[in-house]
Amino acid sequence: MSDKRAEKLHAQLPGLDLAGRLRLVRESIAGRIVLTTSFGIEDQLLTHCIGQMGLDIALATLDTGRLFPETLDVWAETQARYDLAVEAFAPQTAATQTLLDTDGVLGFRASVSARQACCAVRKVEPLARALAQAQGWMTGLRADQSGSRATLAFAEVDYARGLIKINPLADWSRERIASEVARLGVPINALHAQGFVSIGCAPCTRAIEPGEPERAGRWWWENDGSSECGLHVDAGGKLKRSPGQDLRI
């Protein structure tokens, strides 16, 4: 996977509008590109654009088995609205059973390591299958979501997975995204209106209070402040980056 291609995209994407960014990504990366969606507001905006533009970008979601009913509702509405298939990747049955036998149904609250083990089974391993044949991985990450994402690149090489990771909304604010989805009439998760800003598994997500950071509602019982599940960070809790690079906005 070429560092040069990622560097070029990282340099070019900021100068384009969102449609231009998505078009350039599709033109620049040969082969399969996958948008992984949790049906949050950022992913919904990207899905809308992909559907309206008719781009050959696949959609995949991680069906952890613990999603909110409201997430399932917007999932169904999104597929019907845009006539797009969203491929679901569920955790392996045997691994899930072992996890439950070992830690119990709420064992992930016992420690950070127990929670990470749950995320590994329900999210990280399914993600590996979702991206197995992909040359590009698109996300709805934003640089202002948390401190760990502050240096988020528009494009970078994910060496572990052998692909280019693209973050087209890296420089967008939540307010800008909310304004755009309202203007376009994009379906969004009903939980957003109830204070749920970042939405994951039901047992691990709460609404946030005014003034709290966006990711404060994820794994709120932990005190390390990382608020990451392992999809976008390395073993040390740092945002995964290309070796020797510091691609910044």
PDB file of all heavy atoms in Angstrom, residues 50 71 84 126 133-134 151 167 169 198 219 239:
ATOM      1  N   ILE A  50     -23.146   9.067  -0.826  1.00  0.00           N
ATOM      2  CA  ILE A  50     -22.810   7.883  -1.623  1.00  0.00           C
ATOM      3  C   ILE A  50     -24.028   7.430  -2.427  1.00  0.00           C
ATOM      4  O   ILE A  50     -23.936   7.118  -3.619  1.00  0.00           O
ATOM      5  CB  ILE A  50     -22.298   6.758  -0.710  1.00  0.00           C
ATOM      6  CG1 ILE A  50     -20.901   7.111  -0.170  1.00  0.00           C
ATOM      7  CG2 ILE A  50     -22.263   5.413  -1.446  1.00  0.00           C
ATOM      8  CD1 ILE A  50     -20.433   6.213   0.961  1.00  0.00           C
ATOM      9  N   THR A  71     -31.307   2.311  16.702  1.00  0.00           N
ATOM     10  CA  THR A  71     -30.284   2.106  15.680  1.00  0.00           C
ATOM     11  C   THR A  71     -30.787   1.151  14.599  1.00  0.00           C
ATOM     12  O   THR A  71     -30.572   1.372  13.408  1.00  0.00           O
ATOM     13  CB  THR A  71     -29.001   1.554  16.316  1.00  0.00           C
ATOM     14  OG1 THR A  71     -28.521   2.492  17.299  1.00  0.00           O
ATOM     15  CG2 THR A  71     -27.917   1.331  15.273  1.00  0.00           C
ATOM     16  N   LEU A  84     -29.781   0.928  -0.739  1.00  0.00           N
ATOM     17  CA  LEU A  84     -28.401   0.476  -0.600  1.00  0.00           C
ATOM     18  C   LEU A  84     -28.350  -0.724   0.342  1.00  0.00           C
ATOM     19  O   LEU A  84     -29.029  -0.740   1.374  1.00  0.00           O
ATOM     20  CB  LEU A  84     -27.515   1.591  -0.024  1.00  0.00           C
ATOM     21  CG  LEU A  84     -27.273   2.813  -0.902  1.00  0.00           C
ATOM     22  CD1 LEU A  84     -26.549   3.890  -0.107  1.00  0.00           C
ATOM     23  CD2 LEU A  84     -26.456   2.438  -2.137  1.00  0.00           C
ATOM     24  N   PRO A 126     -15.083  -8.703  13.911  1.00  0.00           N
ATOM     25  CA  PRO A 126     -15.988  -8.508  12.776  1.00  0.00           C
ATOM     26  C   PRO A 126     -15.498  -7.442  11.787  1.00  0.00           C
ATOM     27  O   PRO A 126     -15.697  -7.579  10.578  1.00  0.00           O
ATOM     28  CB  PRO A 126     -17.305  -8.096  13.447  1.00  0.00           C
ATOM     29  CG  PRO A 126     -17.247  -8.758  14.791  1.00  0.00           C
ATOM     30  CD  PRO A 126     -15.808  -8.642  15.194  1.00  0.00           C
ATOM     31  N   GLN A 133     -11.377  -7.767   2.135  1.00  0.00           N
ATOM     32  CA  GLN A 133     -11.145  -7.648   0.691  1.00  0.00           C
ATOM     33  C   GLN A 133     -11.081  -6.198   0.221  1.00  0.00           C
ATOM     34  O   GLN A 133     -11.160  -5.923  -0.978  1.00  0.00           O
ATOM     35  CB  GLN A 133     -12.257  -8.386  -0.062  1.00  0.00           C
ATOM     36  CG  GLN A 133     -12.426  -9.837   0.314  1.00  0.00           C
ATOM     37  CD  GLN A 133     -11.163 -10.641   0.083  1.00  0.00           C
ATOM     38  OE1 GLN A 133     -10.480 -10.470  -0.932  1.00  0.00           O
ATOM     39  NE2 GLN A 133     -10.826 -11.527   1.019  1.00  0.00           N
ATOM     40  N   ALA A 134     -10.929  -5.271   1.162  1.00  0.00           N
ATOM     41  CA  ALA A 134     -10.981  -3.852   0.810  1.00  0.00           C
ATOM     42  C   ALA A 134      -9.595  -3.268   0.569  1.00  0.00           C
ATOM     43  O   ALA A 134      -8.609  -3.679   1.188  1.00  0.00           O
ATOM     44  CB  ALA A 134     -11.680  -3.068   1.911  1.00  0.00           C
ATOM     45  N   THR A 151      -5.446  14.818  15.897  1.00  0.00           N
ATOM     46  CA  THR A 151      -4.506  14.861  14.778  1.00  0.00           C
ATOM     47  C   THR A 151      -4.945  13.950  13.642  1.00  0.00           C
ATOM     48  O   THR A 151      -4.131  13.500  12.839  1.00  0.00           O
ATOM     49  CB  THR A 151      -3.090  14.471  15.239  1.00  0.00           C
ATOM     50  OG1 THR A 151      -3.126  13.156  15.811  1.00  0.00           O
ATOM     51  CG2 THR A 151      -2.568  15.461  16.263  1.00  0.00           C
ATOM     52  N   ASN A 167     -10.857   9.600   5.950  1.00  0.00           N
ATOM     53  CA  ASN A 167     -11.746  10.288   6.885  1.00  0.00           C
ATOM     54  C   ASN A 167     -12.233  11.588   6.240  1.00  0.00           C
ATOM     55  O   ASN A 167     -11.714  12.667   6.530  1.00  0.00           O
ATOM     56  CB  ASN A 167     -11.003  10.581   8.193  1.00  0.00           C
ATOM     57  CG  ASN A 167     -10.363   9.338   8.784  1.00  0.00           C
ATOM     58  OD1 ASN A 167     -11.032   8.354   9.081  1.00  0.00           O
ATOM     59  ND2 ASN A 167      -9.041   9.366   8.954  1.00  0.00           N
ATOM     60  N   LEU A 169     -14.644  13.553   6.669  1.00  0.00           N
ATOM     61  CA  LEU A 169     -15.232  14.586   7.529  1.00  0.00           C
ATOM     62  C   LEU A 169     -14.260  15.037   8.624  1.00  0.00           C
ATOM     63  O   LEU A 169     -14.677  15.616   9.621  1.00  0.00           O
ATOM     64  CB  LEU A 169     -16.520  14.062   8.163  1.00  0.00           C
ATOM     65  CG  LEU A 169     -17.640  13.698   7.188  1.00  0.00           C
ATOM     66  CD1 LEU A 169     -18.803  13.049   7.930  1.00  0.00           C
ATOM     67  CD2 LEU A 169     -18.122  14.936   6.437  1.00  0.00           C
ATOM     68  N   SER A 198     -22.628  10.128  20.674  1.00  0.00           N
ATOM     69  CA  SER A 198     -21.885   9.011  20.095  1.00  0.00           C
ATOM     70  C   SER A 198     -22.599   7.733  20.514  1.00  0.00           C
ATOM     71  O   SER A 198     -22.719   7.439  21.706  1.00  0.00           O
ATOM     72  CB  SER A 198     -20.439   9.020  20.608  1.00  0.00           C
ATOM     73  OG  SER A 198     -19.732   7.895  20.136  1.00  0.00           O
ATOM     74  N   TRP A 219     -18.663   4.148  27.590  1.00  0.00           N
ATOM     75  CA  TRP A 219     -17.920   3.493  28.672  1.00  0.00           C
ATOM     76  C   TRP A 219     -17.636   4.473  29.814  1.00  0.00           C
ATOM     77  O   TRP A 219     -16.534   4.600  30.320  1.00  0.00           O
ATOM     78  CB  TRP A 219     -16.605   2.908  28.121  1.00  0.00           C
ATOM     79  CG  TRP A 219     -16.861   2.114  26.878  1.00  0.00           C
ATOM     80  CD1 TRP A 219     -17.514   0.930  26.793  1.00  0.00           C
ATOM     81  CD2 TRP A 219     -16.494   2.473  25.545  1.00  0.00           C
ATOM     82  NE1 TRP A 219     -17.589   0.524  25.482  1.00  0.00           N
ATOM     83  CE2 TRP A 219     -16.975   1.457  24.685  1.00  0.00           C
ATOM     84  CE3 TRP A 219     -15.807   3.550  24.980  1.00  0.00           C
ATOM     85  CZ2 TRP A 219     -16.785   1.488  23.300  1.00  0.00           C
ATOM     86  CZ3 TRP A 219     -15.637   3.578  23.608  1.00  0.00           C
ATOM     87  CH2 TRP A 219     -16.113   2.563  22.788  1.00  0.00           C
ATOM     88  N   LEU A 239      -4.300   6.650  18.493  1.00  0.00           N
ATOM     89  CA  LEU A 239      -4.869   6.568  17.158  1.00  0.00           C
ATOM     90  C   LEU A 239      -3.833   5.978  16.221  1.00  0.00           C
ATOM     91  O   LEU A 239      -2.677   6.399  16.202  1.00  0.00           O
ATOM     92  CB  LEU A 239      -5.280   7.960  16.672  1.00  0.00           C
ATOM     93  CG  LEU A 239      -6.228   7.999  15.474  1.00  0.00           C
ATOM     94  CD1 LEU A 239      -7.618   7.509  15.884  1.00  0.00           C
ATOM     95  CD2 LEU A 239      -6.313   9.398  14.908  1.00  0.00           C
TER      96      LEU A 239
END
